[in-house]
Amino acid sequence: MTTPTPASTYDERGAVQPLPTRPPLNGLATLALVYGIIAVAAGILPAVRQITGSLAVPAVALAATGLANARRLDGAGTKQAAIGLVTGFAGLAISLATHLTT
């Protein structure tokens, strides 16, 4: 009797069934989301901006690239990239508003 290989299993008839695969990941979309959240925090808290600098522009650029990758990856990371885009623009607006008022 043979043991199943790690890449497949056997059903009740003895036929080989492939294991389910993990959905693709969109790392750029995740990074855009993280940068966007930090950009909003940096806009609100000047102490964070001194440590991180302005991450709003990279958040927007990563979100745009993440959205393009999401089309290629059948929608993986679309929500993360969209939220990263919104938070990136929000962080940019908040940073500009706080910078102009000081």
Side-chain angles (χ1 to χ4, degrees), residues 6-95:
S8 62
T9 58
Y10 294 97
D11 65 3
E12 63 276 353
R13 296 176 293 140
V16 176
Q17 298 294 318
L19 291 176
T21 59
R22 290 179 42 188
L25 300 176
N26 192 344
L28 291 176
T30 304
L31 194 58
L33 177 62
V34 171
Y35 275 23
I37 292 170
I38 294 172
V40 169
I44 296 171
L45 305 169
V48 176
R49 191 177 335 137
Q50 290 178 351
I51 296 169
T52 63
S54 178
L55 293 178
V57 174
V60 171
L62 287 168
T65 309
L67 283 171
N69 280 349
R71 285 190 204 105
R72 186 176 51 86
L73 296 173
D74 295 328
T78 302
K79 291 178 185 177
Q80 292 172 332
I83 295 171
L85 189 65
V86 169
T87 55
F89 278 127
L92 186 61
I94 293 169
S95 292

